[in-house]
Amino acid sequence: MGKTYRQINIDEYINYERFYSKYLKNMKRTGTDKISAQCPFHDDQHPSFWFNINNGCWKCEAGCGSGNAVTFLARVEKISQKEAYKILLKEAGLFEEDKKKGKKMKYTLENYSKEEKLPIEFLTNVCNLKQEDYHKRFVSIYYKDEKGNTAAIRKRHHPQNKKRFS
Ligand SMILES: [Zn+2]
């Protein structure tokens, strides 16, 4: 069964100590899973703020409130929680759109073979198709003249790519 990203616990992928260190001053470990620091939301003379390194939840004991890494980031960067969540997904290396984009644009000899219902050996040996692109974004099709010289090279991209051929 394939896991969807929504079922993944983002906490397992984020180093909250590193994440919070970008925004907090005077960070100090105060327990096995707690770090205290000066609160970024008020003029803090004491380390009134703390967060849990395992789940990213935070609280300001001086009354600024409490929350998780998403609400913290939204508040400190003055962005929406939706935007903050996206940034955290990126931090965790789980940003869905980036992953999908990368996959969508790939176009390999295997794809071509399936699409045209022709075996790969036939495509490479008879039709002069090559997978030259290291990132596998397109397949090169070599057009030869009667003498066997390359007359033209056409690049076939993924069907969903704006540019189908080049
Ligand atoms: Zn505070």
Side-chain angles (χ1 to χ4, degrees):
M1 290 289 275
K3 260 190 185 179
T4 67
Y5 294 122
R6 278 179 218 296
Q7 290 168 313
I8 287 175
N9 183 2
I10 192 170
D11 296 339
E12 289 169 26
Y13 295 85
I14 292 180
N15 179 337
Y16 284 113
E17 190 173 348
R18 199 180 60 195
F19 166 74
Y20 277 103
S21 70
K22 288 179 235 167
Y23 305 99
L24 302 177
K25 280 184 198 152
N26 295 325
M27 281 185 19
K28 247 180 224 144
R29 186 70 74 111
T30 56
T32 46
D33 50 13
K34 259 190 189 180
I35 286 177
S36 72
Q38 279 175 262
C39 177
F41 304 126
H42 79 275
D43 184 18
D44 196 7
Q45 302 307 314
H46 312 279
S48 313
F49 184 98
W50 62 263
F51 68 90
N52 182 299
I53 59 164
N54 299 317
N55 59 24
C57 288
W58 61 273
K59 190 181 180 190
C60 168
E61 300 292 355
C64 294
S66 59
N68 56 28
V70 174
T71 61
F72 175 85
L73 192 59
R75 197 159 156 186
V76 83
E77 293 280 18
K78 297 181 175 68
I79 54 177
S80 72
Q81 291 196 14
K82 204 177 163 187
E83 284 173 301
Y85 185 64
K86 252 189 199 178
I87 291 170
L88 277 166
L89 277 181
K90 279 188 179 169
E91 173 100 14
L94 298 171
F95 194 54
E96 277 182 73
E97 280 175 37
D98 280 355
K99 290 207 162 189
K100 269 190 203 156
K101 237 181 235 165
K103 267 184 205 157
K104 219 180 248 175
M105 290 310 167
K106 282 201 173 159
Y107 194 72
T108 64
L109 275 172
E110 285 78 21
N111 297 140
Y112 192 100
S113 165
K114 265 184 207 159
E115 205 181 320
E116 303 291 331
K117 296 186 179 66
L118 292 166
I120 291 174
E121 301 81 67
F122 177 79
L123 292 173
T124 52
N125 299 332
V126 183
C127 304
N128 296 307
L129 259 67
K130 285 181 190 167
Q131 184 91 62
E132 294 175 311
D133 179 33
Y134 174 77
H135 297 290
K136 297 192 159 81
R137 288 166 307 193
F138 57 83
V139 169
S140 306
I141 307 166
Y142 282 72
Y143 292 94
K144 303 213 170 181
D145 59 22
E146 314 88 88
K147 287 172 193 160
N149 299 317
T150 302
I153 303 168
R154 203 175 195 196
K155 288 170 185 168
R156 173 82 165 258
H157 296 265
H158 192 279
Q160 275 164 336
N161 199 319
K162 273 183 228 134
K163 192 172 63 171
R164 181 81 217 248
F165 292 99
S166 60

